[in-house]
Amino acid sequence: MKHSAKLRLSPRWAPWVLLSPFIILFLVFGLFPLGFSMYLAFQSWEPTSGLDAMRFVGLDNFTFALQDEWFWKSLKNTAWLALVSGIPQHLVAIPLAYFIHSSFRRMRNGVVGAYFMPYITSSVAIAILFSSLFSTDFGLINVALQMLHHTPVLGWFIPGTPIDWLNQPDNIKPAIALIVFWRYVGFNLVLYLAALQTIPPDIYEAATMDGAGRFQKFWYITLPSLKPMMFFGVTLSVIGGLQLFEEPFILTGGKGGSDQAGMTTAVYLYRMAFDFNDFGAASAMSWLLFVVVALLTWATNRAFRQRGQ
Amino acid sequence: MKTERLAPWAAYCIVGVGMLFMLAPFYFMFVFATHSRTEIFSLPPPMFFGDDFFNNLAILTKKIAFWRNLGWSVYVALASTALTLLFCSMGGYAFAMFNFRFKNVFFGLVMGTMLLPSFMNMIPTFMIMDLLGWIDQPRALYIPGAASAFGIFLMRQFVTSSIPRELVEAARMDGCSELGIYWRIVLPLLKPALGTLGLITFIASWNNFIGPLIVMRSPDMYTLPLALRSLQSPVDTEWGALMAGSAIATLPLIVLFVISSKQLISGLTVGAVK
C-alpha cells in the first residue's frame, strides 16, 4: 500500500480520524434517536399526517400511559415473565455449573456447548419451533404429558386432557417463560462456570481437613464465592427480562394473545407505535419502562450489597 | 483440580438429562423439516427423519421469496460484520493507544449507551430511517450498529492487553504513517479479537428480528427471520415449510458454533470475568 502525502496524519489528528466513523454513527444513530424519543414523548403525533402535524402536549402522553389499563397489564405480564423465567435460570444454572465443574473434564466443552446452543439460535426460529411443540392436540409437549399421565405415581400430577397452551390466557405466560428459561439457562451456566474456576482449591482442602461435608462446602464456600457473579447474572436477567419482545411477539402472532395475557411492555410499545400509530404515547411508555428497568437494576444492586456485608 | 467430586454418577445423570432437554427441540426442528404438515401433527408424531424436505422447500419458495430473503440475510450479515470489524477496531485502537481531549468523557458516553435498553431506539430509529429514505434499504440494517459500544469495548480491551505501546512507537520512528500503523501492524495483531467480534456480529445480524421488523416494509426485502414469521397465520400455517425454513436459518449458526464455541463463549461473556 502506498500512502500519499494526504494520508500522512500527525499522531495528534490520527485518533480523530480513526474515531470519525464511530463518532458519526454514534451521533446519528445513538444520541440523536435518544433525544428524539424524549422530544416525541411530549408530542401528539401520528406518523401518517407528516412531521408538521406534531403538537406539544406536555405530560399528556405520560398521564395517558399511567391511566392505560393495557399498559399496566403489560407491565404486570413483563414482571411475571421476568420472575418466572429468570429465577429458575439461576436456581438451575448454579448447581448445574457446580456439577459440571466438579465432575466433567474432557467432555466439558461439548456439554457446555449443548447448553449454550439455544442462546445463539434465532429467537424467531425458536419461537416458531415451540409454537408447534406447544400446539394443543398434536404438539409434542402435550403428547409427552399424555404419556407421562399414564405412568404410575408421576401420572397423578399430570392432567389427562391436553393443555391449550397458546390460546388459553392462563397458559400463555408459562409457555413463554419455559422458552425463555430454555434459551438463557446456558448463558448463566457459562457465567457461573467461569466464576467457579476462580475459587482456589486450597479453600476446599482446608475445609475438608476441618471436617466439612459436601453440602457444607457448597453452602459455606461455593455459594458465597459465586455472589459477585450472581449479582452480574441477575442484573442481566432483570434487564433482559424486562425487554422481552420476540418470543411473546411471535407466539401471540404479534397481538399479545387472548386477553393480552402474553403482551409484554415491549410488545405493547411496538403495537402502540406501529399498530395504533401513536408515536408520542409509545415514546412516553418507552421512557416509563426505562425508569422501571433502572429502578429494578438499582434494587438488585442494593439487595446484593446489603447481604454481602 | 481438587474440588469435591460430588457423587459423579448423580452429576452425570442430571447434567445428561439437562442436555437432552436442551438438544431435543433442535432435533425435532430438523426432523419436522423433513415431514409434511399432516405428518407433523399426527399421532404419534414423527420421531425420525422423513423425505418431505424438498416438498417443504418448494412450498417455501412458492409462498415467499425464500432465496431472496436468504440472500439478504447473508448480505446484511456479511456487510455488518465487515463494517463492524473495521470501525470498531479503528475506534478501539484509538481509545486504547492515543491520548486526546474528552477521551474519557467519550468513552463513558459509549459505555452509557450500552446500558440503555434496545427498545428505547425502536421508534426513533424508524423515524430516522424514514427521514433518510432508508426504509426497505439493507443499509438501514448494517450501518447503524456498525460502531457498536460492545465492539469498541472489546477491541479496546484487546489492544490494551496485547499490543505493546513500544511496537507502535517503533513503527512511527521508522517512518510508518499513522494509518499504515493501524492497517499493517495493529490490524494483523488483532486477528483473534476480530474473529470473536466477527462471530458475535454475524450471529447477531443473522438473528436480528426487531431491526428488519421496523425498517423492512416489502416482503421482497425481508431477511430470513422476518420472512419466516410472515408465513405464520392463525388459520392455515404450513408447518413443514416453516420448520424447513427455520432449520435452514439455524444450520449455519450451529455449524459456526461447533467450529468456534470456545472462542465465541468467551467473547460473549467478556464483561463477566474480571
Side-chain angles (χ1 to χ4, degrees):
Chain A
M1 239 173 102
K2 237 186 176 170
H3 292 284
S4 65
K6 265 184 282 175
L7 275 173
R8 281 212 165 263
L9 291 163
S10 72
R12 202 177 124 83
W13 290 108
W16 294 105
V17 171
L18 289 166
L19 277 173
S20 56
F22 161 70
I23 292 173
I24 293 166
L25 293 182
F26 183 64
L27 292 179
V28 178
F29 299 107
L31 278 188
F32 179 68
L34 215 59
F36 199 50
S37 151
M38 184 59 103
Y39 174 78
L40 265 177
F42 296 98
Q43 307 286 321
S44 158
W45 185 58
E46 284 188 16
T48 40
S49 35
L51 283 173
D52 305 331
M54 279 195 199
R55 204 159 44 82
F56 179 76
V57 292
L59 290 172
D60 277 9
N61 286 325
F62 289 95
T63 48
F64 166 73
L66 291 174
Q67 285 166 0
D68 183 11
E69 208 182 307
W70 278 15
F71 181 65
W72 285 105
K73 182 153 196 173
S74 77
L75 278 178
K76 269 183 225 157
N77 287 341
T78 311
W80 192 98
L81 281 169
L83 281 176
V84 175
S85 70
I87 294 171
Q89 276 175 39
H90 297 272
L91 292 183
V92 169
I94 291 172
L96 215 53
Y98 186 64
F99 292 156
I100 292 176
H101 181 70
S102 55
S103 307
F104 284 77
R105 299 272 180 281
R106 221 176 292 162
M107 295 179 307
R108 178 179 291 186
N109 287 334
V111 174
V112 175
Y115 280 95
F116 199 74
M117 207 145 81
Y119 181 78
I120 60 140
T121 312
S122 145
S123 52
V124 174
I126 285 173
I128 287 173
L129 168 70
F130 271 91
S131 47
S132 94
L133 297 180
F134 271 121
S135 53
T136 312
D137 290 321
F138 303 99
L140 210 60
I141 289 173
N142 274 344
V143 170
L145 287 177
Q146 291 306 294
M147 275 161 63
L148 287 176
H149 174 71
H150 294 293
T151 56
V153 188
L154 196 61
W156 299 341
F157 302 101
I158 289 162
T161 44
I163 298 170
D164 187 359
W165 290 105
L166 299 178
N167 299 309
Q168 204 61 48
D170 290 346
N171 299 332
I172 300 174
K173 278 197 283 283
I176 297 172
L178 181 82
I179 300 174
V180 175
F181 166 79
W182 180 78
R183 187 138 189 254
Y184 293 100
V185 70
F187 178 76
N188 290 298
L189 172 76
V190 168
L191 292 186
Y192 291 120
L193 263 176
L196 284 172
Q197 275 153 10
T198 62
I199 305 175
D202 336 359
I203 302 182
Y204 288 104
E205 271 170 60
T208 316
M209 305 254 259
D210 291 343
R214 239 177 239 149
F215 182 74
Q216 282 172 312
K217 276 185 260 180
F218 181 75
W219 192 256
Y220 292 108
I221 300 175
T222 314
L223 276 186
S225 324
L226 286 181
K227 201 170 224 173
M229 194 55 98
M230 277 186 224
F231 168 57
F232 182 76
V234 170
T235 307
L236 284 187
S237 294
V238 168
I239 295 174
L242 293 177
Q243 296 189 51
L244 199 62
F245 179 80
E246 297 173 22
E247 289 86 352
F249 187 82
I250 292 185
L251 283 169
T252 64
K255 300 281 180 235
S258 52
D259 199 26
Q260 276 70 49
M263 187 163 67
T264 60
T265 308
V267 171
Y268 190 42
L269 279 180
Y270 176 85
R271 295 202 70 189
M272 189 49 83
F274 297 102
D275 288 353
F276 309 144
N277 267 325
D278 192 339
F279 276 49
S283 300
M285 284 173 186
S286 78
W287 282 96
L288 289 173
L289 180 56
F290 171 66
V291 171
V292 175
V293 173
L295 276 177
L296 283 179
T297 312
W298 175 79
T300 321
N301 193 341
R302 266 196 75 115
F304 272 87
R305 217 177 333 162
Q306 271 178 350
R307 273 193 285 137
Q309 256 120 47
Chain B
M1 243 171 289
K2 284 274 165 56
T3 44
E4 188 84 13
R5 281 175 152 258
L6 189 132
W9 284 110
Y12 289 148
C13 283
I14 295 169
V15 172
V17 169
M19 264 173 85
L20 278 183
F21 182 65
M22 288 292 130
L23 293 178
F26 288 105
Y27 175 74
F28 286 108
M29 179 190 282
F30 288 101
V31 167
F32 289 171
T34 63
H35 286 279
S36 69
R37 184 178 54 177
T38 40
E39 280 165 355
I40 293 173
F41 293 106
S42 57
L43 280 175
M47 293 287 154
F48 299 103
F49 295 90
D51 46 19
D52 273 324
F53 178 72
F54 289 100
N55 276 343
N56 288 335
L57 207 56
I59 298 173
L60 212 52
T61 48
K62 212 175 75 192
K63 293 227 160 186
I64 52 173
F66 182 73
W67 299 119
R68 257 184 91 100
N69 299 142
L70 182 68
W72 283 128
S73 274
V74 173
Y75 172 74
V76 170
L78 289 179
S80 144
T81 307
L83 274 187
T84 302
L85 291 186
L86 182 67
F87 291 167
C88 290
S89 61
M90 284 163 65
Y93 169 57
F95 274 124
M97 278 291 175
F98 292 88
N99 285 315
F100 49 91
R101 281 183 79 182
F102 309 124
K103 176 167 129 169
N104 292 330
V105 179
F106 241 144
F107 195 71
L109 263 176
V110 181
M111 291 300 106
T113 56
M114 235 163 113
L115 300 176
L116 280 171
S118 55
F119 62 78
M120 300 290 299
N121 270 354
M122 206 152 74
I123 292 152
T125 299
F126 169 77
M127 307 250 348
I128 292 166
M129 294 307 165
D130 201 23
L131 289 175
L132 290 171
W134 285 13
I135 298 291
D136 267 343
Q137 298 288 328
R139 70 177 88 102
L141 295 178
Y142 60 78
I143 290 182
S148 68
F150 174 78
I152 300 259
F153 173 74
L154 195 79
M155 286 297 157
R156 177 178 164 264
Q157 294 294 87
F158 198 84
V159 173
T160 314
S161 66
S162 68
I163 297 184
R165 217 165 249 277
E166 296 79 30
L167 188 70
V168 174
E169 264 148 35
R172 206 170 276 155
M173 305 262 253
D174 288 345
C176 193
S177 72
E178 286 301 321
L179 291 183
I181 295 174
Y182 161 75
W183 188 256
R184 282 188 280 184
I185 295 168
V186 175
L187 214 49
L189 285 172
L190 281 178
K191 249 181 214 157
L194 290 172
T196 305
L197 182 61
L199 275 167
I200 294 171
T201 312
F202 187 91
I203 291 173
S205 165
W206 187 261
N207 290 340
N208 187 5
F209 177 64
I210 300 184
L213 178 69
I214 286 169
V215 299
M216 292 306 181
R217 297 280 138 177
S218 60
D220 264 7
M221 301 306 297
Y222 285 178
T223 51
L224 219 41
L226 202 56
L228 290 176
R229 128 130 184 122
S230 73
L231 276 175
Q232 213 191 7
S233 80
V235 221
D236 194 25
T237 305
E238 283 290 352
W239 284 106
L242 256 180
M243 287 299 144
S246 301
I248 295 174
T250 308
L251 195 63
L253 294 185
I254 296 182
V255 172
L256 263 184
F257 183 60
V258 168
I259 301 170
S260 63
S261 61
K262 236 182 143 180
Q263 197 181 8
L264 185 65
I265 291 175
S266 62
L268 276 166
T269 50
V270 71
V273 191
K274 288 145 284 169

